[in-house]
Amino acid sequence: MKHPLAAIREWLGVDLPARNLDLRFEMLHRWRRGKRPPLTPERVRESLARHRTTPEEHLRELNAIAGNLNRWPLGEEKHMVLLECLAKEFYTASAPLILQLIQASGGIPEPPERRETFELHDRCATALLDGYRSVFAQDYQRHPFFYRRIRPRIYRCACRILELVKHRQRLAGARYLRLDPTAWRTAHTVFAAMWTCEPVDDGLDTLSRHDQSLDRRAHASLRQHYVSLATYDLLDYVAWPELDQIGLDAYVGAEPDAIRLRDFDPQLDPRPWYLYTHCYSEGPPSPQPPADLLSGPTLMLDHHNLAACIRADLKGMDEARARGDSFRTPPRLLRIATERRTAFCFLLQRNLREAADWAENEAEPAKHRDLRIYAGFQEVREHLSYLFRRDDGRLRQGHELSDLFARRSAVIGEDETAPQRSLWFVLQDTRGRLLIRTQETRFTNRMQIGNLLAYGFGEAQAQAPRIGKVNRVLRPAAGLVLLDIDDLANFATPARLFALSDAAAARADDPTAPPLVAGDLTGEPLASLLSRAERGSWGLLTPPQTTLRPGEIVGIKTGSRLTRARVGTLDDVTVEFCRFTVTSAGFPTQPPSYPAPAKTGDPSIAPEATAGKS
């Protein structure tokens, strides 16, 4: 039994932790002007029901009601009840529609109607966020006696704030935009304020319990909401296809201690798995501690466990693929769609590192170079086929149009500035990486993360292109898009991949084995590309549904030449292709080269024909 004095102190709230963080929120002014908003949940639902058959009008009405409520003089309790009603209505309408838009299209260009829909959803989320922030600020500043009585409300309010910031982050991520600094600062400030005076691990019902299209959690704590916010930038969301971004939270949420939070300790040496955030930060957690450590709490996020989980799951997927056993999938990946698990696992491993900073290059002066890009597995293969078979009139006719498109991001423009602005501008050209910028309009050539590219500067390099892929996309401002391209190879040739008869495959390691002949091939050929990287390794690029396994012996036909080869490790998987290492005694030891443009191509050409003696 409590001591009577202790019970009195608890009743008065005098023993509660101090709440002395300056929130620095910009509060909205309240007045009784304009249209009177509905002031009960029943009237809110009645007002929204009149527009339910038209999703856009439904959300516009919701946005108007939320905005009016934020400016109408209301007590915090009543305001909170109305916000909860609106938030439920909003999330139930928004989540399935956003998922539908993500599934329907992605990459660049962004259709105007898609952009307008996303912007409408973001305005609704922002209006609700402003309302919850107002209630939080008023409750946080209350006298301890009154604060003790509204602690459940302020905790719910903090959770809703982080949920809505997360929803805005999903909307921004699906468009490859940055979450705005005000939203980041709100999230950091609210969590820091609660971290210092309240438990942050109490589970609470979520908005996603009403619709689980984007998030399957029905309950979550304030800590889990905050960790979810950090996940997107930690795993470099601009390097993920839009649909795969949804899986990030599901994967990280499957491991309770994937990311740990603790107070910043200046005595701890920095580690690659530490991230830092200050209560007034205006961006995602940073690898560097903030300079200002005195004005408010600084937290440290430790993602060492997450890195260990990713490594373990990638190893598990490799073992399952080597055995051909899909039932051995690591449990954390079971939340990811079956057809996307391998690509998802590769993206996890690749992107759990400090990403290159876009901002370092955005302010650089535009440098136009005659860059030519052929995008897409099929177009790249057609371009390479033309280079090796220039005497084919059918290929030549089709290539003239693709060559026109390769010179700029759009052939048709919105206005008279388009011919100049739709050119490719190079911001960075370093070993293994190319960062380019161009104008984005509805006529921009379609690209998405994972696209295979053939590219080069000027006519000469376009005739001897490098092979790369679209690694990251960012829209730094309206009408502009940045593309980050990874270099994969400096040579590639069209190839056809065949399975071999048992007898032909059994002699793979026999140096006296006769060359392959047509009778050794079985099954239908698979259109692919044989590539060679600058460091000398050979690669095989196939469509993504390929089920090749490490160690498998295959036949590769380039032109009229057949080569027996052994498939190695799977190095990369995207929405468009798989890239395997491949070895063969029949490959040339000297670097191969493309046919000279001035000469008539030979349909039987193969890498060996254009390389030095092997």
Side-chain angles (χ1 to χ4, degrees), residues 220-231:
S221 67
L222 189 65
R223 182 195 296 266
Q224 289 171 320
H225 288 309
Y226 190 66
V227 166
S228 176
L229 267 179
T231 298

Side-chain angles (χ1 to χ4, degrees), residues 67-144:
N68 290 334
L69 285 175
N70 290 341
R71 292 174 173 83
W72 198 264
L74 287 171
E76 278 64 48
E77 182 177 0
K78 190 169 188 177
H79 196 181
M80 184 70 177
V81 170
L82 294 170
L83 285 170
E84 285 289 279
C85 176
L86 285 169
K88 174 185 175 181
E89 292 282 339
F90 167 67
Y91 197 87
T92 304
S94 178
L97 183 55
I98 293 304
L99 178 61
Q100 181 182 340
L101 288 172
I102 290 173
Q103 291 172 333
S105 63
I108 59 171
E110 182 179 42
E113 58 276 8
R114 184 181 191 267
R115 181 189 68 247
E116 292 166 4
T117 301
F118 271 93
E119 289 174 349
L120 175 59
H121 285 246
D122 187 68
R123 288 197 298 272
C124 290
T126 302
L128 291 170
L129 185 58
D130 289 341
Y132 279 110
R133 187 170 55 185
S134 174
V135 173
F136 182 89
Q138 295 297 327
D139 284 348
Y140 184 77
Q141 297 166 4
R142 289 182 183 275
H143 186 277

Side-chain angles (χ1 to χ4, degrees), residues 39 61 129 149 205 265 379 408 413 423 553 595 613:
L39 298 179
E61 178 67 12
L129 185 58
R149 285 148 182 81
D205 55 282
D265 183 356
E379 185 169 343
R408 58 185 74 240
L423 296 171
I553 307 301
K613 296 284 186 182

Side-chain angles (χ1 to χ4, degrees), residues 458-484:
E459 180 66 23
Q461 287 191 24
Q463 302 301 313
R466 301 188 68 86
I467 305 300
K469 72 167 184 176
V470 178
N471 182 40
R472 302 161 81 212
V473 177
L474 179 69
R475 291 183 173 97
L480 287 179
V481 64
L482 303 183
L483 297 177
D484 189 359

Side-chain angles (χ1 to χ4, degrees), residues 379-396:
E379 185 169 343
V380 169
R381 199 171 187 281
E382 288 175 358
H383 178 59
L384 294 174
S385 296
Y386 167 76
L387 297 181
F388 285 99
R389 300 172 59 189
R390 297 173 192 271
D391 57 343
D392 189 322
R394 181 180 54 85
L395 289 177
R396 188 186 309 114

